Amino acid sequence: MPTPRKTARGSSAAAKAAARNTDSGPANPLAASDGDFAARKMAETGEMAASMPANPNKAAEHGAANGLNPPVGASVAPPSRLPASSTLTEVNLSPKTGEAPAEGANPNSGPLTRVRVDSSGQRLTTNQGVAIADNQNSLKAGTRGPVLLEDFILREKLTHFDHERIPERIVHARGSAAHGYFECYDAIPHLTKAAPFKEAGKITPVFVRFSTVQGERGSKDTARDVRGFAVKFYTDEGNWDLVGNNMPVFFIQDAMKFPDLVHAVKPEPHHQMPQAASAHDTFWDFVSLMPESTHMLMWVMSDRAIPRSYATMQGFGVHTFRLVNEAGESSFVKFHWTPKYGTHSLVWDEAVKISGADPDYHRRDLWERIEAGAFPEYELGLQVFTEEQADKFSFDILDATKIVPEELVPIQPVGRMVLNRNPDNFFAETEQVAFCTAHIIPGLDFTNDPLLAGRIHSYVDTQISRLGGPNFHEIPINAPIAPVHNNQRDGMHRQAIPRGRVSYEPNSLAGGCPFQAGAAQGFTSVAARLKAREDQAKVRAKPELFAEHYNQAALFFNSQTPVEQAHIAAAFRFELSKVTVPAIRQRVVSMLRNASETLAAQVAQGLNMNPLPEPMPRALMRKLKPEITTSPPLSLMARPGDGSVKGRKVAIFVADGCVGQSVADVHAALLDAGAVPRFVAPRIGPVATVDGMAIEADASLENEPAFLFDALALPDGDAAVIALQADGHSLEGIRDQYRHGKTILALGTGADLLDLVGLPRSLPGGEADPGLIVTDDAALGAQALISGLARHRHPERETDPPVV
């Protein structure tokens, strides 16, 4: 660093004078004058700039080798904090300006504590902090006179109310979310240097949003649909968004078709129907002309599309990504979330009824589980494989309509995620959170998946529109906990107040700061593989393996249990029966014939389609032999969970004249097991029991229909049975519980209600029904009920059509 010239008294005065101008400066550096901060700042700025006579990294910007290993940006330490300051007057403090930030700090990256508001004991004010004397009346010219335009309190309140809603997401508009944490099991440095996986036991905060895809913000939770499963990791090296679904594949292979898919599945534009449903002409017209969607259709027509809860739903990253270690070595990876409580779904009749009684069913379940301490938990697993392995598969790993079967690449557990905190405010957090596949951190990278490439662009673009500008990252829920320092400035709704005069890089006036981190600490992209092949030219085309559309659709269907296969056939039958154009139905069945003749025949029979249409011509005429034809892990039944009943809801029907002690014992046993039992009576309030036991019904047969519960218990007591059989709600509830495969416990004379409804005591094959428990012993009955509840449901009693 050059030594400042010694100056005479006149030169010192000149330095002071020069430092008070903003449009010119001295021809030579002037020494700082003692006690004169303006002159000192100018001198120190000159010293700092002079210490960087050139950009030492310029040569390193060129050549492939340099491109793979960028250097750390050039920087120098400033002599003091003065050169980086915006203004010398920052020492003049006020309650608003506060103090200068700590060195290297961006307060916007701190915890949400800084923006949480608690109004306990506080006066009501306007947005400008003016206390409001009267929040009940508009300002009028007399008590019966006109409202005055000068009522700024009324105008502010109404104007803000008029603008409280923001544009909803184009897709995934209806969502629910929660805070939690990810805990790493063991470090995996041989695979990745990504922050969450650097050490055993490392905790990374997360925010997770679950959603439906098709419906609008006010639609129902239990629609047949794909579910979004998006996780924002607030790592100490920046935010990583793993933006996935509850299904590992998708309808299309290229982002070019995404607008077409969404337009097709959304309500039809001429009459805006149907809402949150794929059972209509335009969707099936589109997918039947896009045979690559066959595999995804199997998933969407399966029970995966109507999950019991977000806590019992798998999640997948969908695309193939890359893991990168410290040495720059990369491997392919697919991400899997597996729920601790098992993979459980609704049946269609149940989903339809729930949507009418409680359209917030999944949202309510997530909130109540967390509030009750039955925290949803998921294990993160990785499928890791090499490029050499991928080249040997019968499918292309860049094709988002394909999975990598677990038999080819096992899933390696690497950590668990626990959701243990509900948001404080739905809009501020759940609605304003912005996920993007482009948000990754060092240790991760993309592949050439053409659908992923479009998502990398599209998510950022839509957030700019939806959240009002390019600064959506500064909304508290989106802000990282890692420090943020860059030269982005201005834009709508800017929250950060950058300090200093420099907003570009490279620079010398801020000591080169903020400087590029370099390959050792910063994000670098994995070098793309380069093969001397003709397909390296610019081309609009897909790889040949993308043209194989049916092998994995067959794999999925053949891997389901008979009950699940029957549900898939019934779902196709229902959806296609809603289609008004026969040719579209014919086309879908012709497509299904290439995946499963059995399924196609079942669907055709359900639609009275005879004869079957010819199989759809294949895009790839040569048949590729798949590595496997069945994969048991693809069945929901393969992941029953940990066997607990935490968070499960059980209805205990009661009425005047019931035996209180026995239902109270069942209630207590369920509560001890972590379930959520509720006494449900013809009316809410106290129930007169024959034994004097105090029972209080907190739900009624009318406001909490039985199909909202996971199991049912019926009371002992002649008078109670008579009262319940006189209420059609109770009989409908018992019938629904049976049809939906739920466990039913009948205590004593409560068994008469089973006979009244006409429930068979045995399964269609003649075996005893394990889900129907009849006993006089409340303790034994409670344990049997809990065991049945842990199974989730008893599909073996199903018939098509149902006999009850």
Side-chain angles (χ1 to χ4, degrees):
M1 186 177 293
T3 303
R5 292 184 296 112
K6 293 183 180 180
T7 58
R9 183 179 199 137
S11 297
S12 177
K16 288 184 180 182
R20 284 151 176 74
N21 293 290
T22 59
D23 61 348
S24 185
N28 297 298
L30 297 173
S33 297
D34 293 340
D36 190 276
F37 287 103
R40 180 181 165 193
K41 177 180 179 180
M42 175 172 280
E44 290 183 356
T45 300
E47 293 172 15
M48 195 163 56
S51 68
M52 296 178 65
N55 182 348
N57 289 333
K58 199 63 185 173
E61 295 177 12
H62 308 86
N66 288 329
L68 296 176
N69 190 34
V72 175
S75 66
V76 295
S80 72
R81 299 203 69 195
L82 281 174
S85 66
S86 305
T87 169
L88 294 173
T89 62
E90 68 179 7
V91 297
N92 299 328
L93 309 182
S94 77
K96 179 62 177 175
T97 61
E99 298 180 354
E103 188 170 354
N106 182 343
N108 201 47
S109 300
L112 293 177
T113 307
R114 72 191 190 283
V115 290
R116 285 201 186 98
V117 177
D118 187 339
S119 297
S120 303
Q122 302 301 306
R123 300 176 303 176
L124 188 68
T125 73
T126 69
N127 285 331
Q128 306 306 316
V130 178
I132 297 174
D134 185 343
N135 191 49
Q136 317 309 319
N137 302 289
S138 305
L139 183 65
K140 298 182 285 288
T143 57
R144 301 184 70 248
V147 174
L148 300 180
L149 186 62
E150 71 181 72
D151 190 349
F152 68 95
I153 296 176
L154 172 69
R155 286 190 289 111
E156 179 192 89
K157 190 173 182 180
L158 290 181
T159 299
H160 194 280
F161 174 77
D162 292 341
H163 296 269
E164 280 182 356
R165 293 295 172 265
I166 61 176
E168 70 176 29
R169 291 167 170 85
I170 303 299
V171 287
H172 297 274
R174 180 169 181 80
S176 306
H179 292 275
Y181 63 88
F182 174 77
E183 180 182 7
C184 179
Y185 290 158
D186 292 296
I188 48 174
H190 60 293
L191 294 176
T192 180
K193 60 181 179 180
F197 311 114
K198 281 192 172 180
E199 59 187 69
K202 182 169 185 178
I203 299 294
T204 301
V206 299
F207 189 70
V208 181
R209 185 177 184 270
F210 305 102
S211 57
T212 52
V213 173
Q214 308 167 46
E216 296 170 2
R217 192 157 48 194
S219 59
K220 59 192 178 185
D221 275 352
T222 56
R224 178 178 292 281
D225 199 356
V226 187
R227 297 302 190 282
F229 194 128
V231 182
K232 186 179 290 290
F233 293 80
Y234 299 98
T235 85
D236 46 23
E237 294 185 0
N239 285 357
W240 168 33
D241 292 352
L242 181 52
V243 194
N245 290 331
N246 73 324
M247 301 178 191
V249 290
F250 203 59
F251 295 96
I252 54 175
Q253 298 169 320
D254 194 299
M256 183 70 82
K257 302 308 298 174
F258 190 71
D260 299 300
L261 168 67
V262 175
H263 288 169
V265 77
K266 282 283 190 176
E268 297 191 12
H270 60 307
H271 55 38
Q272 196 61 15
M273 294 187 290
Q275 176 59 243
S278 56
H280 59 104
D281 288 16
T282 58
F283 172 74
W284 288 99
D285 180 43
F286 176 77
V287 295
S288 65
L289 295 170
M290 299 283 289
E292 60 266 41
S293 67
T294 309
H295 187 196
M296 182 62 171
L297 289 174
M298 294 290 186
W299 287 80
V300 176
M301 293 301 107
S302 78
D303 293 341
R304 301 268 184 170
I306 42 176
R308 161 60 182 85
S309 68
Y310 295 135
T312 58
M313 181 179 82
Q314 276 185 284
F316 304 90
V318 180
H319 306 284
T320 302
F321 292 87
R322 285 185 184 269
L323 297 176
V324 188
N325 63 20
E326 288 284 2
E329 301 163 336
S330 78
S331 50
F332 289 130
V333 64
K334 282 185 173 287
F335 296 102
H336 298 250
W337 293 109
T338 301
K340 172 185 177 181
Y341 295 129
T343 49
H344 303 296
S345 290
L346 304 171
V347 293
W348 178 241
D349 182 72
E350 183 184 13
V352 170
K353 290 174 177 174
I354 290 172
S355 69
D358 187 2
D360 303 310
Y361 187 67
H362 287 152
R363 178 175 292 176
R364 191 182 315 282
D365 179 90
L366 179 66
W367 180 274
E368 291 181 349
R369 281 177 185 265
I370 294 174
E371 291 295 291
F375 302 140
E377 183 174 326
Y378 312 82
E379 186 169 70
L380 179 62
L382 311 180
Q383 278 183 300
V384 182
F385 51 100
T386 65
E387 197 160 303
E388 290 70 29
Q389 286 177 284
D391 286 341
K392 296 176 182 177
F393 294 154
S394 66
F395 51 90
D396 196 317
I397 55 94
L398 300 182
D399 181 354
T401 70
K402 305 295 194 299
I403 63 169
V404 178
E406 293 182 40
E407 290 78 3
L408 301 185
V409 180
I411 295 176
Q412 172 185 344
V414 293
R416 67 179 187 129
M417 179 172 70
V418 179
L419 303 183
N420 63 353
R421 192 194 195 285
N422 279 316
D424 287 287
N425 184 274
F426 185 90
F427 178 83
E429 297 170 82
T430 304
E431 191 61 26
Q432 288 196 125
V433 68
F435 294 93
C436 181
T437 51
H439 296 164
I440 59 172
I441 56 177
L444 302 169
D445 205 355
F446 310 114
T447 58
N448 293 338
D449 180 333
L451 180 60
L452 175 59
R455 294 180 71 197
I456 291 169
H457 160 76
S458 184
Y459 281 53
V460 173
D461 192 41
T462 193
Q463 303 299 359
I464 290 173
S465 172
R466 200 176 72 85
L467 295 172
N471 291 313
F472 64 85
H473 61 281
E474 291 191 337
I475 295 173
I477 192 61
N478 295 319
I481 61 174
V484 173
H485 299 285
N486 56 46
N487 293 310
Q488 296 174 22
R489 295 292 186 268
D490 310 337
M492 292 181 68
H493 311 308
R494 184 70 169 174
Q495 303 298 305
I497 302 175
R499 178 177 179 270
R501 64 195 283 195
V502 168
S503 57
Y504 55 89
E505 189 278 334
N507 70 72
S508 66
L509 296 179
C513 301
F515 53 87
Q516 69 181 35
Q521 296 184 32
F523 178 85
T524 56
S525 296
V526 174
R529 65 175 179 178
L530 298 175
K531 291 188 177 180
R533 303 189 311 191
E534 67 279 1
D535 64 2
Q536 296 303 313
K538 290 182 179 180
V539 61
R540 293 187 184 273
K542 297 182 179 71
E544 185 185 34
L545 288 182
F546 276 46
E548 203 301 299
H549 299 147
Y550 303 109
N551 277 353
Q552 291 208 350
L555 171 67
F556 180 81
F557 184 76
N558 294 336
S559 301
Q560 306 303 296
T561 63
V563 169
E564 291 172 302
Q565 290 181 341
H567 288 179
I568 292 173
F572 273 107
R573 180 182 69 205
F574 173 86
E575 296 262 326
L576 293 175
S577 69
K578 294 279 193 175
V579 171
T580 66
V581 180
I584 295 175
R585 294 198 292 267
Q586 295 266 345
R587 196 186 304 146
V588 175
V589 174
S590 76
M591 188 168 69
L592 292 179
R593 290 194 66 182
N594 289 328
S596 171
E597 288 284 3
T598 300
L599 175 61
Q602 290 174 337
V603 175
Q605 182 182 20
L607 296 171
N608 271 325
M609 185 184 296
N610 189 23
L612 265 68
E614 290 296 315
M616 182 175 287
R618 293 173 178 263
L620 185 67
M621 295 309 298
R622 66 185 182 94
K623 286 193 175 183
L624 297 175
K625 184 179 180 181
E627 290 84 354
I628 56 174
T629 55
T630 59
S631 177
L634 292 177
S635 167
L636 282 170
M637 309 297 184
R639 294 177 172 85
D642 65 354
S644 77
V645 297
K646 288 183 178 179
R648 295 301 184 93
K649 290 189 172 183
V650 181
I652 303 176
F653 282 3
V654 291
D656 289 346
C658 71
V659 178
Q661 187 63 57
S662 58
V663 291
D665 289 345
V666 171
H667 187 282
L670 287 166
L671 200 60
D672 287 344
V676 184
R678 299 191 75 178
F679 288 122
V680 183
R683 297 289 181 269
I684 60 173
V687 176
T689 63
V690 295
D691 53 359
M693 171 68 68
I695 296 291
E696 190 88 14
D698 64 346
S700 72
L701 297 169
E702 175 183 56
N703 72 12
E704 289 288 316
F707 52 73
L708 295 176
F709 295 88
D710 295 294
L712 172 65
L714 302 175
D716 190 10
D718 293 335
V721 170
I722 292 173
L724 289 171
Q725 73 181 29
D727 191 325
H729 292 111
S730 65
L731 303 183
E732 290 172 5
I734 296 169
R735 185 177 295 110
D736 283 334
Q737 284 278 311
Y738 179 85
R739 286 183 59 181
H740 301 159
K742 307 293 183 61
T743 300
I744 302 174
L745 165 65
L747 296 170
T749 57
D752 295 345
L753 291 169
L754 303 180
D755 298 329
L756 186 65
V757 174
L759 298 191
R761 296 295 183 91
S762 58
L763 297 173
E767 308 90 342
D769 188 334
L772 280 182
I773 306 158
V774 179
T775 181
D776 293 323
D777 189 320
L780 291 177
Q783 291 308 309
L785 177 60
I786 291 169
S787 296
L789 184 60
R791 284 189 55 186
H792 181 62
R793 70 172 76 253
H794 305 274
E796 57 270 20
R797 71 168 67 130
E798 290 184 15
T799 59
D800 188 11
V803 295
V804 175

